[in-house]
Amino acid sequence: MKICVIGGGGAIGGYLAVMLARAGNEVTVVARGTTLAAVKERGLALIMDDQPEPLVAHVKAVEKIADVETPDVIMLAVKAHQVDPIIHDLAAIMGPETVLIPMQNGIPWWYFQKLAGEYQDHSVETVDAGGVAKKAINPNNIIGCVVYPATFTQAPGVIRHVEGNRFPLGELDGKPTERIQKISEVMAAAGFKSPILEDIRSEIWLKLWGNMTFNPISALTHGTLEGICQYPLTKELARNMMAEAQSVAEKLGVTFRVDIERRIAGAEKVGKHKTSMLQDLEAGRSLEIDALLGSAIELGQITQTPTPCLNAVFALTKYLDENVQASKGSLALPSVSGY
């Protein structure tokens, strides 16, 4: 397939680009600055613990989305707040059959599109102010995806894989189409696990359940996943936040295949791991708080569901982020994408 990875020099985008290119697909990555230069000169390199040498893929690399030939599939591997500035350039390279796979954490802009029921076609203002993305991209071109692997950028054009290879996929209306079957097969041939789900939104909530809880708590406390889950007060806060989120999600027809205690236990087993939000904080980078928590609070407002714990943690983390962005005085660390 002809595949474009936007954010192809980043942690998740680079991982996808290397594996898909080595599986025989025609891959183009959109990157910038030193990453673009490195990819053009040496290709993209992926370091994996089970491989004695880095896996290298020589892919086409461009700086501008406009320079990409219309692909079969676009993988949008940038953070949620980076979507709006590029959405019209993205729409311009899409053909009528091009499939767009957004890979952002949190509630996506397309969440209510093709969702049967009273909330169909509602906008998610927190991640798509004014409905810009919703208007620019035809929902018929979108396939949903949840990103589970943990990776980080070790150097420009060099990605280190930490763990995981799951990228579940789902049509927005849950139908088992021919195109999603083909993409799932292409992903499998590249070494990924991409099961086709009838209800991709429930999978989004399952991952978000942890991200929206442990990420901001870790940023506020500088605690690891293990520490947050073992300290009684933060564990109770996490439990209350997850209960509020579950109430919101269930009003939208979402089902959770695990319960709160099992989800917390799973996070604890990860160990003394810093969440990506804590690492972003320590590096002085902008926090994904709107996509991970603000969007869930907005859905609570839409469904008239009280979210007092979510609101309080959001307010504190949002203010923390604004202070960090104003000062920019922290030590840079690699950011792990996944948790």
Side-chain angles (χ1 to χ4, degrees):
M1 299 184 84
K2 186 185 289 186
I3 300 171
C4 170
V5 183
I6 298 178
I12 289 297
Y15 174 42
L16 286 161
V18 170
M19 299 294 282
L20 288 164
R22 288 175 64 89
N25 298 286
E26 183 182 335
V27 176
T28 299
V29 300
V30 180
R32 296 180 297 177
T34 55
T35 298
L36 176 65
V39 175
K40 283 187 170 182
E41 181 181 348
R42 302 185 298 272
L44 266 173
L46 174 65
I47 300 171
M48 303 184 73
D49 287 341
D50 62 353
Q51 297 292 331
E53 299 290 336
L55 303 179
V56 178
H58 294 279
V59 299
K60 182 179 179 180
V62 300
E63 183 175 13
K64 297 178 180 178
I65 295 174
D67 293 333
V68 177
E69 296 179 8
T70 299
D72 300 316
V73 176
I74 299 172
M75 296 182 171
L76 185 57
V78 299
K79 291 191 175 183
H81 63 270
Q82 298 171 322
V83 172
D84 183 73
I86 64 173
I87 198 68
H88 292 295
D89 290 338
L90 172 60
I93 66 165
M94 293 178 63
E97 303 300 321
T98 299
V99 173
L100 173 65
I101 306 179
M103 294 183 163
Q104 288 65 55
N105 283 324
I107 300 295
W109 82 78
W110 53 260
Y111 189 89
F112 291 108
Q113 294 182 287
K114 304 181 79 170
L115 176 65
E118 61 181 304
Y119 302 108
Q120 184 169 0
D121 287 331
H122 211 290
S123 295
V124 187
E125 288 290 319
T126 308
V127 294
D128 186 26
V132 174
K134 182 183 168 192
K135 295 170 187 172
I137 306 295
N138 187 332
N140 292 329
N141 292 89
I142 298 173
I143 285 178
C145 179
V146 180
V147 176
Y148 281 108
T151 59
F152 67 88
T153 304
Q154 183 165 299
V158 181
I159 309 301
R160 176 171 283 278
H161 176 264
V162 179
E163 58 92 18
N165 65 350
R166 292 183 62 236
F167 293 87
L169 301 170
E171 292 280 5
L172 304 199
D173 58 8
K175 294 179 180 177
T177 61
E178 184 178 332
R179 69 178 187 177
I180 198 171
Q181 183 65 46
K182 183 177 180 182
I183 292 171
S184 177
E185 291 169 359
V186 167
M187 293 288 282
F192 302 119
K193 292 180 180 177
S194 289
I196 299 168
L197 306 181
E198 291 183 9
D199 182 8
I200 191 66
R201 291 172 182 84
S202 287
E203 194 73 15
I204 287 171
W205 273 99
L206 184 62
K207 183 184 179 188
L208 178 61
W209 220 16
N211 280 348
M212 68 188 297
T213 303
F214 300 115
N215 273 271
I217 292 176
S218 72
L220 291 168
T221 64
H222 289 242
T224 64
L225 285 170
E226 182 181 81
I228 292 166
C229 295
Q230 291 181 352
Y231 187 67
L233 295 178
T234 49
K235 182 177 182 178
E236 182 65 17
L237 175 59
R239 185 183 289 117
N240 290 339
M241 292 174 70
M242 294 173 82
E244 291 177 4
Q246 184 171 0
S247 294
V248 174
E250 287 177 345
K251 286 187 179 181
L252 294 168
V254 168
T255 55
F256 290 84
R257 67 173 188 266
V258 300
D259 62 21
I260 290 176
E261 295 307 318
R262 186 175 165 191
R263 186 67 182 84
I264 292 174
E268 183 179 352
K269 287 180 182 177
V270 176
K272 300 182 187 302
H273 169 71
K274 292 182 180 181
T275 68
S276 58
M277 187 174 288
L278 176 54
Q279 293 183 52
D280 283 343
L281 174 69
E282 292 177 335
R285 289 186 287 264
S286 180
L287 306 184
E288 277 190 296
I289 191 63
D290 286 330
L292 294 183
L293 191 49
S295 58
I297 291 171
E298 180 181 345
L299 268 56
Q301 294 167 345
I302 291 170
T303 58
Q304 299 183 323
T305 309
T307 54
C309 291
L310 299 182
N311 292 0
V313 172
F314 176 74
L316 293 170
T317 314
K318 188 75 172 175
Y319 183 49
L320 172 65
D321 186 34
E322 291 199 8
N323 279 338
V324 169
Q325 294 313 303
S327 63
K328 291 286 188 181
S330 297
L331 177 67
L333 293 174
S335 174
V336 175
S337 299
Y339 226 102

